Amino acid sequence: MLKIRNICLLQRRWKSGKRRWNVLQHKRNNCDRALETFDYFYGSVYGGRWKNMRAALLTEHKYVAMVNNFGDTEQTCSMLELDGAINIKSLIRLAIEREEIGIESNILHNRHAHYDIDDKLESLLRKQQEREVAAIYPTAAEDGHEPPKQLSYDRKNSDIDTKGQKDSEKESSSLEFTQSLTKALEQDVQVDESRIVDPQFGTGGLYEYVPADSIKGMQDWVAESEHYKYYQTSTDFPLIIEPEAIFQYPEHLAIYTYEMGNCAEFKPPRQCLTGVLSHFLMDGASVLPPLFLQVQPGERVLDACAAPGGKSLLMLQTLHLDQLVCNDVQESRLNKLRRVMQEYLFDYKQRWASKRLIFSQSDARNLDEYNSYDKILVDVPCTTDRHVLLHQDNNIFKPTRIKERLRIPELQAGILANCLRLLKPGGSLVYSTCSLSPVQNDGVIHMALQKVFNEYGITARIKDLSQHTALFSDIYRFEQPKGLKYGQMVLPYLPANFGPMYFSKITRNT
Amino acid sequence: MWRVLFKAQKVQQLKSLNLRQLAAKATAPKLLQLEQIHIEEAVKMEPALAIYTPEIWRRAHETFQNHGLETMSFLRIVTGNPNILKRTPDRIINTLEIWRACQFGETLLHLLLTKYPELLDVTDAHQLLTLSSYLKSRLSTNKNVWKVLMNSPDLMAQPENLIEEKLNYMFDIMRIEVPEIVKSSALSLPFEDLRCRHIFLVRLGLFKPRPLKADPDEPTTNHRLYQITDTSEKSFATKICRVTLPEYEAFKELLARELERKSRKTEAQDEFSDED
């Protein structure tokens, strides 16, 4: 038992408590890593505008409410309207009227924008490589040695590549090798005499000599600059960019939002008479890719990376669909998707499951029902810029996932290329990511178009949506002036904190 | 009420009152006599003074003069706080003694009282001494306490736990040193505003806390604390952060909601763990 006397004698512990600087110091976590990478990368891509996007990305995002057409639609609409929300359909009608009055004055004003992003990325790649070389050879400059120009680790690590890419890479690498060797022979005329193998002692040793291609202890090291190399600028496939002719807002779709600057929240969904939930809350920018896909009645549609299901649900809510195939790679993600559909679709078991709504679990690169879909939504896995900055779990900036992260553009291009093959000739797809990175956006589209042209002879046209995104400019902040080649992008902006969302519409040529 | 008074006072005086100028002004004209013309001028500036007789004026002037305050300072104090003339010399002397106990030194004390005549309304010696000793314990010298009071006199009306909260935030999270704190009026800002401005700068990437082992002589790229706290909403957003005002306003709203949600979450967790 504790006596009072003992309490008096208890000594105070002076050294307890966390007061040392190394304890107090903030431990670097995955979100910090992501932020650091973005600061460097996007800081040089977007310049001064990055800091506004940064603040927006780190702050809560804004939702829109999609009314469920299988529930008490009118009641839900009036409830949302009472809270002050506005139907996007009416906003668009207003924008169209305004445009008709103001005549096509500011359309196509920046069709021929100079893509200075190309130069920026090139210099970024160069700088990053220099930094990495400097990190390995810290004293190189002081010693007066010329640092090796390029360490091409990708040659060794690109086993995951598809066969075709491997071949082309092999060619290019062998080309590089001969070039550099001849160059070296020309330049290094002064040969280090002490290292010459005298023929009189036999040249047998020379035949066994294998030049080093990796540094011991750094076999697993992956250079960040490898990621930027995916952004190519040379075009050797037919590239047509043409404005999209028409845009129709689906008649039955009701999406509610608050005006720019209003950060109010929506009420949580409630149960309707039919047993489904009244409305679905989703990031505002996610409604754009399925809207621009323009699903028409009687079409067969594929959502290549469907979970968690917001975009698929939106396409179902247009009531146009004939059949929707939802594909995703993981069982758990597919279960999530199934749950959402059960919650929102009336009579799910009898009318929807495996009749008009089909689930398939597979890697989108391995789907093989070629030439069979009218429309495809390709919402690829990406660095999900908002998620990686705010959440620790499932964060792709985890150090052990570095290879996966740097190879993301390869995966995306693989999926997109395969989806182009799945399209019927004349069908169209929308490629979308929630990343600001030009490598994962324009870079991937470029890679995929090149790949399908080289390997399968498929050509495609890119639809310029800028005329139609102008209708949404009251709600979203778009990338303006347009520094993008192939698509449109919603930028995070504090009063309208949607996105980031990049999307591009591609039509397969007949 | 204190705060409102001081805010008005500060807006009036901040522009014109550079400390040195004031000191020069106070010492330059060695006026030792209270003339009728002074009284007339004072009444013109502050009509409430018209009700007092010349005898009262003379008595109060003498009291202040005996304690080292010159005529100019006296006039400034009286126009700033007319109620002083109502008081008996004993009460005035008492208040001055209370202030003297803070040990700012005569000159500095006179400057403080001339700048903020409302400070002469203090009657509770104990409260003032507690506050000044608390501030001294956090800011290390009496001079720093004086500087802080010169910048944010409404500290007198703030409870100690609120001041503590702000000081802790500035020391531990913003990692700002004492000299910078006493040069700004950060302590008159409500804690929520201070935190909001700081977090906004951090999220914009414009404010990086000093590393714990950084060399103190190394200059920072951060904005100075007085730039962050002594500006209006609009100039803070446009001049310091270089964003538009709507962006900052939206941020304030979003951050308030975010923090509220976070606190609710931790509360819920606490409850949960208690039940366990």
Side-chain angles (χ1 to χ4, degrees):
Chain A
M1 208 182 98
L2 204 62
K3 290 176 194 160
I4 293 178
R5 202 177 58 225
N6 288 358
I7 295 176
C8 296
L9 286 176
L10 270 178
Q11 283 177 347
R12 191 171 164 197
R13 295 181 56 146
W14 289 101
K15 286 206 166 180
S16 67
K18 294 177 174 177
R19 288 176 154 272
R20 276 177 60 79
W21 70 273
N22 57 356
V23 181
L24 288 173
Q25 201 172 38
H26 175 66
K27 294 263 178 342
R28 221 163 79 104
N29 57 29
N30 297 337
C31 298
D32 298 325
R33 273 182 209 103
L35 194 58
E36 217 167 84
T37 317
F38 290 165
D39 271 343
Y40 176 67
F41 185 19
Y42 299 155
S44 47
V45 171
Y46 296 102
R49 291 182 300 155
W50 162 238
K51 85 177 157 33
N52 302 37
M53 293 180 213
R54 188 183 195 267
L57 278 178
L58 288 168
T59 311
E60 282 186 347
H61 70 146
K62 192 171 167 178
Y63 286 100
V64 297
M66 176 170 63
V67 176
N68 191 358
N69 281 326
F70 305 101
D72 318 328
T73 316
E74 271 133 47
Q75 278 176 34
T76 315
C77 286
S78 60
M79 177 190 86
L80 292 170
E81 271 161 22
L82 271 179
D83 286 347
I86 309 166
N87 195 340
I88 290 187
K89 195 161 99 181
S90 57
L91 281 176
I92 291 198
R93 204 176 295 139
L94 278 176
I96 292 174
E97 281 168 19
R98 202 173 49 206
E99 206 166 73
E100 279 166 0
I101 296 166
I103 313 174
E104 306 163 0
S105 58
N106 52 359
I107 304 167
L108 313 181
H109 61 288
N110 45 17
R111 290 280 318 270
H112 299 287
H114 174 60
Y115 304 122
D116 55 347
I117 220 163
D118 291 357
D119 311 335
K120 274 184 196 160
L121 266 172
E122 215 168 86
S123 72
L124 192 71
L125 169 63
R126 213 165 41 236
K127 251 189 262 167
Q128 180 71 31
Q129 278 175 344
E130 276 164 19
R131 273 202 335 183
E132 277 155 8
V133 170
I136 312 173
Y137 304 97
T139 55
E142 289 161 28
D143 295 349
H145 285 304
E146 185 80 0
K149 279 286 179 289
Q150 195 171 6
L151 293 167
S152 41
Y153 288 92
D154 41 352
R155 211 182 315 158
K156 197 181 145 195
N157 292 327
S158 55
D159 301 345
I160 319 157
D161 272 14
T162 45
K163 205 181 165 194
Q165 265 197 336
K166 227 184 212 170
D167 290 344
S168 63
E169 218 164 63
K170 249 181 211 164
E171 278 169 27
S172 68
S173 62
S174 63
L175 205 70
E176 225 175 70
F177 184 66
T178 49
Q179 268 179 355
S180 62
L181 191 64
T182 47
K183 216 194 279 173
L185 279 175
E186 279 164 15
Q187 286 173 349
D188 303 345
V189 193
Q190 293 164 320
V191 184
D192 188 355
E193 300 284 336
S194 64
R195 297 185 65 182
I196 289 182
V197 180
D198 196 338
Q200 79 181 43
F201 299 119
T203 50
L206 270 181
Y207 293 109
E208 285 165 24
Y209 170 70
V210 182
D213 69 339
S214 62
I215 305 173
K216 182 138 179 70
M218 301 199 75
Q219 287 93 337
D220 291 334
W221 188 72
V222 193
E224 184 87 24
S225 59
E226 205 177 289
H227 181 74
Y228 305 136
K229 280 184 201 156
Y230 290 113
Y231 191 90
Q232 298 153 345
T233 47
S234 60
T235 314
D236 48 5
F237 56 91
L239 175 66
I240 310 162
I241 302 179
E242 58 183 24
E244 170 85 326
I246 43 164
F247 170 70
Q248 271 180 335
Y249 191 85
E251 192 55 38
H252 302 292
L253 190 65
I255 302 175
Y256 282 85
T257 181
Y258 291 107
E259 73 275 15
M260 202 181 263
N262 185 346
C263 307
E265 275 184 313
F266 289 103
K267 280 185 188 143
R270 56 182 177 76
Q271 202 93 23
C272 293
L273 278 176
T274 48
V276 295
L277 293 179
S278 60
H279 57 280
F280 186 79
L281 296 178
M282 60 199 290
D283 184 287
S286 305
V287 305
L288 292 177
L291 275 183
F292 282 112
L293 194 59
Q294 296 273 300
V295 176
Q296 301 301 326
E299 285 185 333
R300 188 158 184 255
V301 180
L302 167 71
D303 191 344
C305 313
K311 296 187 182 79
S312 299
L313 189 62
L314 193 145
M315 291 191 284
L316 291 171
Q317 295 292 342
T318 59
L319 310 180
H320 284 167
L321 277 183
D322 197 36
Q323 191 177 51
L324 177 68
V325 181
C326 291
N327 176 65
D328 210 293
V329 70
Q330 278 171 15
E331 181 70 34
S332 61
R333 289 172 67 84
L334 216 54
N335 284 337
K336 206 190 280 175
L337 176 65
R338 220 169 262 147
R339 215 163 35 239
V340 169
M341 293 302 173
Q342 270 171 15
E343 278 171 352
Y344 283 89
L345 297 180
F346 175 64
D347 242 0
Y348 172 79
K349 288 235 167 71
Q350 280 79 47
R351 293 178 50 202
W352 293 93
S354 60
K355 286 173 196 140
R356 297 164 71 184
L357 186 63
I358 299 167
F359 294 102
S360 95
Q361 187 199 347
S362 118
D363 189 330
R365 288 173 295 185
N366 302 334
L367 293 172
D368 53 3
E369 300 168 278
Y370 298 123
N371 308 326
S372 61
Y373 292 99
D374 298 293
K375 296 278 161 67
I376 302 181
L377 183 68
V378 194
D379 184 33
V380 292
C382 61
T383 49
T384 49
D385 290 359
R386 204 179 273 278
H387 177 89
V388 294
L389 288 180
L390 296 178
H391 302 282
Q392 288 295 331
D393 49 330
N394 197 16
N395 194 317
I396 201 164
F397 278 81
K398 198 173 164 186
T400 47
R401 293 177 76 184
I402 183 166
K403 283 188 187 173
E404 186 189 341
R405 174 165 67 84
L406 296 181
R407 297 265 151 61
I408 267 189
E410 235 163 69
L411 169 72
Q412 292 168 332
I415 293 176
L416 179 56
N418 195 46
C419 286
L420 278 168
R421 293 177 66 198
L422 297 175
L423 272 183
K424 282 180 189 165
S428 52
L429 62 76
V430 169
Y431 170 83
S432 68
T433 69
C434 40
S435 165
L436 288 164
S437 156
V439 179
Q440 293 175 52
N441 299 337
D442 285 343
V444 164
I445 291 186
H446 191 98
M447 266 162 67
L449 288 180
Q450 191 152 29
K451 189 175 160 190
V452 290
F453 177 70
N454 288 344
E455 288 170 26
Y456 310 105
I458 296 173
T459 56
R461 275 166 296 164
I462 287 174
K463 297 287 191 180
D464 183 6
L465 301 168
S466 55
Q467 202 176 333
H468 305 302
T469 52
L471 298 176
F472 291 86
S473 57
D474 291 339
I475 312 164
Y476 303 101
R477 167 61 68 103
F478 288 99
E479 168 78 331
Q480 206 70 258
K482 197 172 154 226
L484 302 162
K485 281 187 196 171
Y486 305 134
Q488 314 293 322
M489 181 148 62
V490 177
L491 295 181
Y493 173 64
L494 277 168
N497 205 352
F498 299 119
M501 176 64 63
Y502 171 91
F503 51 94
S504 166
K505 189 170 186 181
I506 304 171
T507 306
R508 183 174 164 179
N509 284 345
T510 43
Chain B
M1 197 198 86
W2 273 81
R3 188 174 289 181
V4 175
L5 265 176
F6 284 127
K7 276 273 158 71
Q9 188 77 13
K10 244 170 54 187
V11 172
Q12 258 183 21
Q13 297 198 345
L14 261 181
K15 286 174 204 156
S16 60
L17 274 191
N18 189 329
L19 205 64
R20 289 225 179 92
Q21 277 177 358
L22 191 101
K25 256 189 217 164
T27 50
K30 286 271 178 196
L31 281 174
L32 293 173
Q33 282 299 315
L34 185 72
E35 312 279 346
Q36 187 57 38
I37 189 165
H38 292 146
I39 298 177
E40 280 165 17
E41 284 285 316
V43 170
K44 219 180 272 173
M45 279 172 74
E46 180 58 66
L49 288 170
I51 53 171
Y52 300 106
T53 60
E55 172 56 22
I56 294 177
W57 276 94
R58 197 193 51 76
R59 200 182 61 192
H61 177 246
E62 203 172 293
T63 318
F64 276 101
Q65 208 168 32
N66 287 344
H67 284 266
L69 281 144
E70 282 149 25
T71 312
M72 282 313 286
S73 315
F74 164 71
L75 287 172
R76 210 164 282 155
I77 289 173
V78 173
T79 44
N81 191 359
N83 285 338
I84 284 179
L85 286 184
K86 261 188 212 162
R87 294 177 199 159
T88 59
D90 281 354
R91 267 188 71 194
I92 296 177
I93 293 169
N94 261 346
T95 320
L96 283 172
E97 286 301 334
I98 293 175
W99 276 105
R100 218 162 261 155
C102 296
Q103 297 183 330
F104 296 144
E106 284 296 295
T107 338
L108 298 186
L109 177 61
H110 292 168
L111 284 176
L112 180 66
L113 294 180
T114 332
K115 190 172 176 186
Y116 306 108
E118 285 87 350
L119 292 179
L120 282 171
D121 293 346
V122 172
T123 47
D124 189 350
H126 178 69
Q127 191 199 352
L128 178 62
L129 283 177
T130 327
L131 178 77
S132 85
S133 59
Y134 165 69
L135 285 176
K136 193 185 168 188
S137 74
R138 297 304 304 263
L139 304 172
S140 77
T141 63
N142 274 329
K143 181 133 191 211
N144 283 341
V145 177
W146 174 78
K147 279 186 189 163
V148 156
L149 282 179
M150 282 299 271
N151 281 321
S152 30
D154 60 342
L155 277 182
M156 303 283 307
Q158 291 181 22
E160 195 176 302
N161 55 351
L162 287 189
I163 305 177
E164 170 98 9
E165 195 180 25
K166 285 186 251 186
L167 281 172
N168 281 345
Y169 189 82
M170 285 191 276
F171 281 125
D172 300 341
I173 295 172
M174 296 172 83
R175 299 229 182 94
I176 290 177
E177 308 279 330
V178 175
E180 222 181 309
I181 291 177
V182 297
K183 271 179 211 149
S184 73
S185 53
L187 288 172
S188 9
L189 214 64
F191 175 66
E192 284 72 28
D193 284 9
L194 177 71
R195 184 174 53 184
C196 177
R197 287 184 178 207
H198 171 241
I199 295 181
F200 190 49
L201 281 171
V202 168
R203 293 201 179 165
L204 284 168
L206 297 177
F207 190 99
K208 295 190 177 63
R210 295 175 76 81
L212 281 157
K213 294 203 54 164
D215 179 12
D217 296 331
E218 196 184 311
T220 60
T221 51
N222 294 340
H223 286 286
R224 298 272 146 203
L225 186 62
Y226 70 87
Q227 290 176 311
I228 299 171
T229 54
D230 304 7
T231 39
S232 68
E233 300 264 278
K234 181 149 193 222
S235 55
F236 172 71
T238 52
K239 300 273 165 55
I240 307 293
C241 307
R242 307 230 165 253
V243 299
T244 53
L245 188 59
E247 273 176 279
Y248 179 57
E249 272 167 359
F251 176 79
K252 272 201 303 190
E253 205 172 316
L254 288 170
L255 183 73
R257 198 162 70 200
E258 188 183 319
L259 292 173
E260 190 212 358
R261 194 168 293 161
K262 208 177 272 175
S263 69
R264 224 182 315 158
K265 208 172 166 187
T266 49
E267 261 171 40
Q269 270 174 354
D270 288 350
E271 269 172 34
F272 188 67
S273 61
D274 282 345
E275 280 168 14
D276 267 358

